[in-house]
Amino acid sequence: MSNSTGPRRGIALLAALAGIVAAGVVLGVAELAGAFFRASATPVIAMGSTFIDFTPPWLKDFAIATFGTHDKLALLVGMAVTIAILAAVLGVVAYRRWALGAAGVILMGAIIVACVLTRAGASLPDAVPSVVGTVAGLLALRLLIARLRHAAVVPAADSGTPAPAGITGTGSPTDTTDGVVHPSGSRSAATAAKPGGTTSRRGFFAAAGATAVVAAAAAGGGRLLSGARNNIAALRDSLQFPAPASPAPALPAGVQSPVPGVTPFVTPNGDFYRIDTALSVPQLTTDDWVLRVHGMVEEEFELSFQDLLDADLIERHITLTCVSNPVGGYLAGTAKWLGYPLREVLARARPLDGADMVLSTSSDGFSASTPLPVLQDDRDAILAVAMNGEPLPVEHGFPVRMVVPGLYGYVSATKWVVDLEVTRFADRTAYWTDRGWSEEGPIKTMARVEVPQSFASVDAGTVMIGGVAWSQQRGITAVEVSVDGGDWEAVDLAAEASVDTWRQWSYGVDLEPGLHTVRARATDAADGLQTDQRADTVPNGASGWQSVQFTVK
């Protein structure tokens, strides 16, 4: 049976392996070279960030609903699988026709470069790591394919099995269009086969293994070098903030629900939810950070980090909520924030008549459109520099981010913020409004049942039910629960810290063994009872009453 239509299955698998190893070289060498450039200049970050930019809202919601705060890890795993498949295909193509395989590698390199150069703030030199990585990968693939061709010839001649496509039974090359020199026909097939196919295959595996080790070492070295060059952790540890001109009011006694298992009133930094579009966390130093304020204003100016430290800072407890939070979801958290009031920034800029929006932009290109009046009223919207008594974690916007009570984060909570443009909704749009979300995102009133959790099993007797409710800028005045479809009963509300923080609650009820259901709803001081109308997160946040089923044993 002729094998002229392609390599044998075993050879095809080895060619695919060669392609995967070569792709590893591309990424590893680019990672090493990228240590001297911005993080977004490396291929994985550039491609992943570009994918995030073009992700439709329904897919983004699916990723968050399925993977939660691990959505970026899921993206990286998906990218790794996709790259491996494409690389395997290119490896097989390169074995059969080197010119086509090389063209495919170059095309992929060009796509990576395009992803890099379209990132916010990118410049032509940022393409260097991708170009260097592509060249290194191309050379690695050529080496491995040459080794594989040699390995393929030897056992074919020795065992009498048909030679792979392009190789005659005598070992003479019949296809020179691939640019790979085949074993010379100056020796007979039997002579060429003397060392044995096993030795030649071992040579291929040795080359592939050594190349993979080099790729991994390059990637690891690049990460270590990047960490050494961007030691943000040491910078954060060295920062000292002045005492706030307006400290946060002390939390009243009784803000925490007495029900075991209810979330802490103040969310630890490490547990605070993270939802953003940054695949690689921006590594900005306090010396690098500058905020530009411009647009429809009488005075354009810039603020440095030291300018913020020298200003009158305020400290407040504020609950933030993500618009992607489903009914009963955990994409909400409360922290003590330290920062400079945005109304003071805008007072200095003096917005012109007709302006109605502030477009805030992150160092990684994300943007949010915040209604101008919200940033000028008496709410404590701030440029935050600290979270729970320490400098902002890099994942949460170090060195400076926006915190705006009462609005979902997609229109207000810009991390790594470097630009504020006073403009109009009619003239400018933001990242998520370009993708079908509402221009304004006031947070909806919500009650969440945390104890018992769905499908939990609890002991019979008095069952303690507890959770939190929020309605930032309006304040929670009541929470009610209904057990097994019965009447709505008022719960015990914990103390209120402020209208900008969530409020915890508890309720005890005697229940017999069996399956039970509890629903919860909240009332706020402005709009009244939380709506029972179910709504998806798109385009302006989920709504409805949460229902939890559990078993009493």
Side-chain angles (χ1 to χ4, degrees), residues 133-523:
T134 300
V135 172
L138 198 59
L139 293 175
L141 183 61
R142 184 178 179 85
L143 169 66
L144 294 175
I145 291 299
R147 293 267 186 168
L148 184 57
R149 285 184 179 280
H150 180 71
V153 170
V154 173
D158 189 37
S159 63
T161 56
I167 306 297
T168 65
T170 63
S172 301
T174 60
D175 180 7
T176 60
T177 62
D178 55 20
V180 177
V181 179
H182 293 203
S184 172
S186 60
R187 295 188 299 166
S188 67
T191 301
K194 282 181 180 179
T198 300
T199 302
S200 297
R201 293 285 180 94
R202 284 177 179 171
F204 168 78
F205 282 118
T211 305
V213 169
V214 170
R223 290 187 177 276
L224 290 175
L225 189 56
S226 295
R229 286 171 55 86
N230 301 296
N231 196 351
I232 301 298
L235 174 60
R236 290 181 66 252
D237 290 341
S238 67
L239 278 179
Q240 292 185 347
F241 296 109
S246 176
L251 292 176
V255 295
Q256 180 67 43
S257 170
V259 178
V262 171
T263 189
F265 181 84
V266 174
T267 309
N269 290 356
D271 296 335
F272 208 95
Y273 75 93
R274 179 197 165 194
I275 298 294
D276 52 56
T277 63
L279 188 59
S280 173
V281 176
Q283 301 288 314
L284 290 176
T285 68
T286 52
D287 290 335
D288 293 334
W289 184 85
V290 175
L291 178 70
R292 181 188 177 207
V293 182
H294 64 108
M296 297 176 62
V297 297
E298 293 184 24
E299 179 186 351
E300 296 189 354
F301 60 92
E302 292 183 343
L303 285 175
S304 69
F305 192 79
Q306 189 60 48
D307 290 334
L308 294 183
L309 296 187
D310 293 340
D312 290 335
L313 304 182
I314 67 172
E315 191 179 53
R316 297 290 185 269
H317 287 93
I318 298 172
T319 298
L320 299 186
T321 310
C322 181
V323 72
S324 297
N325 196 44
V327 173
Y330 279 78
L331 299 181
T334 298
K336 183 171 67 175
W337 307 93
L338 174 70
Y340 185 56
L342 277 157
R343 60 176 171 269
E344 300 297 336
V345 176
L346 293 169
R348 175 179 170 182
R350 301 187 302 280
L352 300 176
D353 291 342
D356 62 6
M357 184 260 276
V358 174
L359 185 71
S360 55
T361 304
S362 165
S363 64
D364 72 339
F366 171 83
S367 59
S369 52
T370 310
L372 177 59
V374 168
L375 302 180
Q376 293 178 305
D377 64 20
D378 60 357
R379 77 183 70 197
D380 294 317
I382 60 174
L383 291 171
V385 295
M387 178 180 184
N388 288 333
E390 65 179 60
L392 289 172
V394 289
E395 297 84 359
H396 292 290
F398 181 85
V400 183
R401 66 169 293 167
M402 289 174 59
V403 172
V404 181
L407 296 183
Y408 287 120
Y410 82 102
V411 295
S412 68
T414 304
K415 302 175 183 176
W416 315 288
V417 60
V418 294
D419 190 277
L420 296 179
E421 179 185 0
V422 179
T423 181
R424 302 189 309 163
F425 280 107
D427 297 334
R428 300 280 276 154
T429 56
Y431 187 92
W432 284 117
T433 52
D434 286 338
R435 290 158 174 79
W437 295 74
S438 299
E439 287 184 339
E440 301 182 17
I443 294 174
K444 298 179 180 179
T445 299
M446 183 69 64
R448 182 173 76 192
V449 179
E450 296 185 344
V451 180
Q453 295 185 353
S454 293
F455 311 115
S457 181
V458 300
D459 293 331
T462 300
V463 176
M464 296 304 299
I465 302 171
V468 298
W470 57 80
S471 183
Q472 292 91 319
Q473 282 288 288
R474 298 180 297 273
I476 295 295
T477 57
V479 173
E480 300 168 291
V481 296
S482 171
V483 180
D484 298 331
D487 294 338
W488 288 97
E489 302 287 345
V491 304
D492 294 326
L493 283 178
E496 181 181 65
S498 79
V499 295
D500 288 333
T501 62
W502 56 19
R503 198 166 182 184
Q504 302 199 348
W505 54 269
S506 58
Y507 181 75
V509 59
D510 292 331
L511 295 176
E512 298 294 328
L515 187 65
H516 297 275
T517 301
V518 60
R519 290 188 297 165
R521 66 185 187 185
T523 299

